[in-house]
Amino acid sequence: MDSSCHVSIMDLIIKGGKLIDGRGDRVPYYPWVSADLGIEEGKIVEIGDLHRTTAEKTIDAQGMVVCPGFIDIHSHSDVTLLLNPKAESKVRQGVTTEVLGSCGESAYPLAGIEARKQLESRSPNLPSYGLSVEWKTLSEYADVIVKRGVACNVVPITGHVPVRLSVMGWEKRRPTETELEQMKSLVEETMLQGSFGFSTGLIYSPSSFADIDEIADLCRVAAKHGGIYKTHMRGGGGRVIEALKETLEIGRRSGIHVHVHHHKAMGDQNAAKVKITLPMIEESISAGVHVTVDMYPYMAGQGNLNAALPPWIHEGGPKELASRLKERDVRERLKKEMVEPESVPQWESYVEQSGWETCWSGWRIVSCTKEKNKKFEGKSIAEAKPEWQDPFEFLFDLLADEDGSVPFILPDVGKVGEEFLHMMMRHPVMMVGSDGYALAPYGPLGAGMPHPRSYGTFPRVLGRYVRDLRVLSLGEAIRKMTFLPATTLGLTDRGVIEEGKIADLVVFDPATVADCATYASPHSYPIGIVHVLVNGKLVIENSEHTEALPGRVLRSTDYKR
């Protein structure tokens, strides 16, 4: 048979869509081209007019946008993907790649007992799924992910917390030379096993115990392997400028690409400080320090109530903190310092962002582990506490009873901050990151009242900030979700629609796409995300999960860096 007459049958063709390649606007507010997409063996093999080409399956994308899959540069799904590999709340947003190990918290390396205990304490649901923390290394953790399957791709980052806990436990001091070398060896090990970088969460212990020298030394190891440095900085409110100076200095010293998580200035009185921090970032870029940032499209964040307490009480870990809170003299000292945070060196208290009365009425409890405390979920401190009780005493009681850890939602900024959020969104080095988890409305992952960003971040940008408010053009918004994070990480095979690239793709309706999750009803899937492909396989088809688990653990060692 003449080979020239042979007609190949593709695996899948997406027909009639408006293709946005991910690189940004071709012409402002007209970022797409009309074309079909042909997919074979997980890759984009042809772009153009494919009406004469046959396929095993065809998707009609008339009136819809076809773009690269969204890369969540700031995710905390390290454990939740083990509990539910379907990654429901993320893939239904169009997220095809989750970047793990954010804010210093990764599930590896677990070279010491304290690192293992800390991971187990924040993974109480593992036993109910027949799982236990049996891995120590990044490679062993990746093997567990692969064995269970996963709906999205996974990008591993090495967290400072397990590295420091493995070597120093919860001690609040500088490392010895030997301890520093041990930590550097652990970072080196993870980089050789495919980590894409190193991260810190400098408002949380034990990362908060580290000084700039320790962090810069560990960043040098990651930089040697082409890794990036992702950080929840040491301050995000009144001390955001000082915190950014430290972050940029780490980049200058180590030569690493610096990525700042959820960059903002918390509190209405601080919101305008981004007018100072953005030029600082631009100046550092001009001086040769590679800097990027991420942000979620909400006016409130989520953290842990234990971060409202000064650093000294965190030494020894959450359970030791809970034990100390039972002592009257400790409580009296805490009250004094929390009311007068300026008396505690290098500590940014939440009260600096607002006032305690605002905190008591604005902070909302996300979840509790003890059954008797679950009645507080979704309530503010003011609503949850007995009328007669001092709010500080209620806070201390709750933390003591919950082993020192209670997640909560806090208002970052009010109406004043909206214009500065817009400013951040428009900045060319800002990308979209949820700072959320892969959750589901059922099972243990459907418990509590989490931040709606875990379900709504990416559709919210497309619906509210592109279509409704026109803060961003559609092409620029998609660049911040696809090509920009891909190039930041060095993922050269995805993040863009191009022949030969991996078929991580989203098909959505630009007229209807929207987030549905709210603070009152957070476990709600978005609308308008019609089809999602991961490595060429349909994970979301006609807005429903197909049960497919085609995701992969991506490793930096597979890319030229």
Side-chain angles (χ1 to χ4, degrees):
M1 181 178 176
D2 185 351
S3 61
S4 64
C5 297
H6 176 68
V7 178
S8 64
I9 299 177
M10 291 186 180
D11 295 334
L12 188 148
I13 292 177
I14 302 174
K15 287 192 172 181
K18 299 174 179 178
L19 266 58
I20 298 181
D21 67 10
R23 291 189 176 91
D25 290 339
R26 295 167 180 268
V27 178
Y29 295 98
Y30 189 72
W32 61 77
V33 295
S34 296
D36 306 326
L37 270 183
I39 297 165
E40 285 185 5
E41 298 182 351
K43 292 186 176 181
I44 301 166
V45 294
E46 193 168 350
I47 303 172
D49 183 354
L50 303 181
H51 77 278
R52 294 186 178 181
T53 305
T54 57
E56 295 287 341
K57 187 177 185 68
T58 299
I59 291 175
D60 182 1
Q62 288 287 336
M64 289 186 277
V65 168
V66 182
C67 69
F70 305 144
I71 299 170
D72 192 343
I73 193 73
H74 185 177
S75 167
H76 290 281
S77 300
D78 308 55
V79 174
T80 62
L81 288 176
L82 294 174
L83 301 181
N84 190 338
K86 290 168 66 176
E88 293 266 29
S89 73
K90 289 303 189 73
V91 293
R92 288 174 183 268
Q93 292 185 60
V95 173
T96 57
T97 301
E98 287 273 88
V99 182
L100 307 183
S102 300
C103 299
E105 295 274 10
S106 63
Y108 46 81
L110 305 178
I113 186 63
E114 290 298 334
R116 179 177 298 275
K117 285 166 61 178
Q118 192 266 355
L119 181 61
E120 289 173 339
S121 71
R122 64 185 183 95
S123 314
N125 290 312
L126 282 176
S128 63
Y129 285 80
L131 289 168
S132 59
V133 182
E134 297 178 350
W135 64 87
K136 289 185 178 180
T137 67
L138 187 160
S139 288
E140 290 168 349
Y141 168 80
D143 288 344
V144 176
I145 292 280
V146 170
K147 183 178 180 180
R148 291 181 64 79
V150 65
C152 60
N153 300 308
V154 168
V155 167
I157 298 286
T158 304
H160 179 237
V161 169
V163 170
R164 200 175 210 271
L165 287 178
S166 290
V167 175
M168 298 179 64
W170 291 94
E171 295 190 43
K172 186 178 179 293
R173 59 175 175 81
R174 299 185 69 177
T176 65
E177 286 189 20
T178 299
E179 288 168 337
L180 182 60
E181 289 303 314
Q182 289 173 334
M183 286 194 282
K184 288 164 67 175
S185 293
L186 286 175
V187 174
E188 177 92 16
E189 176 187 272
T190 60
M191 297 303 297
L192 293 172
Q193 292 175 1
S195 173
F196 283 76
F198 177 70
S199 79
T200 58
L202 296 176
I203 70 162
Y204 302 113
S205 59
S207 278
S208 60
F209 302 159
D211 62 17
I212 188 172
D213 296 328
E214 175 183 329
I215 299 164
D217 281 339
L218 296 176
C219 281
R220 287 188 187 96
V221 178
K224 182 175 69 173
H225 296 275
I228 68 172
Y229 171 52
K230 299 169 79 229
T231 183
H232 181 144
M233 299 191 303
R234 211 178 291 272
R239 303 186 185 184
V240 66
I241 294 172
E242 292 76 10
L244 182 59
K245 285 179 181 177
E246 177 188 49
T247 299
L248 298 175
E249 176 63 14
I250 289 167
R252 189 194 67 78
R253 288 191 195 183
S254 63
I256 202 166
H257 175 146
V258 169
H259 180 83
V260 179
H261 283 322
H262 43 53
H263 184 50
K264 57 188 178 289
M266 296 185 292
D268 282 349
Q269 72 274 32
N270 298 315
K273 289 180 179 177
V274 295
K275 289 184 176 180
I276 299 172
T277 60
L278 289 179
M280 288 170 62
I281 288 170
E282 291 161 2
E283 184 177 336
S284 287
I285 293 172
S286 297
V289 179
H290 197 167
V291 187
T292 49
V293 302
D294 66 58
M295 187 57 198
Y296 45 78
Y298 296 88
M299 291 295 101
Q302 181 174 320
N304 199 295
L305 282 174
N306 63 27
L309 309 183
W312 59 267
I313 198 170
H314 293 267
E315 188 167 10
K319 289 191 176 181
E320 183 64 27
L321 179 152
S323 178
R324 289 193 184 109
L325 284 175
K326 297 173 183 177
E327 301 173 18
R328 174 48 51 190
D329 60 335
V330 168
R331 291 190 176 208
E332 293 305 319
R333 177 183 172 185
L334 285 173
K335 286 183 188 179
K336 184 177 187 302
E337 293 181 348
M338 292 168 74
V339 171
E340 301 173 3
E342 63 278 0
S343 66
V344 184
Q346 294 186 322
W347 176 48
E348 181 177 87
S349 166
Y350 286 132
V351 76
E352 294 179 31
Q353 300 158 21
S354 48
W356 279 115
E357 289 306 313
T358 301
C359 292
W360 302 139
S361 61
W363 293 358
R364 300 206 165 263
I365 297 164
V366 167
S367 61
C368 297
T369 59
K370 303 287 178 64
E371 192 62 38
K372 66 177 181 178
N373 295 328
K374 289 188 179 296
K375 62 180 179 288
F376 302 137
E377 293 176 350
K379 293 183 178 180
S380 69
I381 301 291
E383 293 168 336
K385 77 175 187 65
E387 188 174 339
W388 53 265
Q389 190 177 30
D390 174 72
F392 285 104
E393 293 292 336
F394 176 83
L395 172 64
F396 301 153
D397 284 347
L398 185 61
L399 280 170
D401 202 36
E402 290 286 323
D403 293 327
S405 179
V406 178
F408 80 118
I409 289 173
L410 71 161
D412 286 341
V413 287
K415 293 181 180 179
V416 172
E418 181 80 30
E419 65 175 290
F420 298 109
L421 175 61
H422 296 181
M423 182 188 301
M424 285 299 307
M425 280 188 164
R426 292 189 182 106
H427 199 278
V429 302
M430 194 287 292
M431 59 193 81
V432 179
S434 74
D435 194 10
Y437 303 78
L439 301 178
Y442 53 86
L445 297 184
M449 300 290 284
H451 197 295
R453 64 195 182 193
S454 289
Y455 286 84
T457 291
F458 294 85
R460 183 175 176 83
V461 170
L462 296 172
R464 175 175 172 79
Y465 291 98
V466 172
R467 183 187 60 235
D468 299 341
L469 299 182
R470 296 199 169 218
V471 174
L472 293 170
S473 68
L474 184 56
E476 180 63 3
I478 289 173
R479 183 185 76 90
K480 291 173 177 294
M481 300 175 177
T482 59
F483 188 69
L484 182 55
T487 52
T488 295
L489 293 163
L491 300 177
T492 54
D493 58 352
R494 61 196 77 217
V496 64
I497 291 181
E498 188 176 278
E499 291 180 4
K501 302 297 185 183
I502 300 293
D504 288 350
L505 299 166
V506 180
V507 181
F508 69 90
D509 183 348
T512 64
V513 65
D515 61 311
C516 297
T518 64
Y519 297 103
S521 181
H523 294 286
S524 302
Y525 296 137
I527 58 173
I529 303 293
V530 184
H531 307 291
V532 179
L533 284 79
V534 177
N535 298 313
K537 302 293 184 183
L538 276 164
V539 172
I540 301 297
E541 183 175 12
N542 296 318
S543 300
E544 295 297 331
H545 206 297
T546 66
E547 309 288 324
L549 303 175
R552 302 169 187 165
V553 177
L554 308 181
R555 298 186 187 242
S556 62
T557 48
D558 293 331
Y559 296 86
K560 292 181 179 179
R561 295 161 63 78

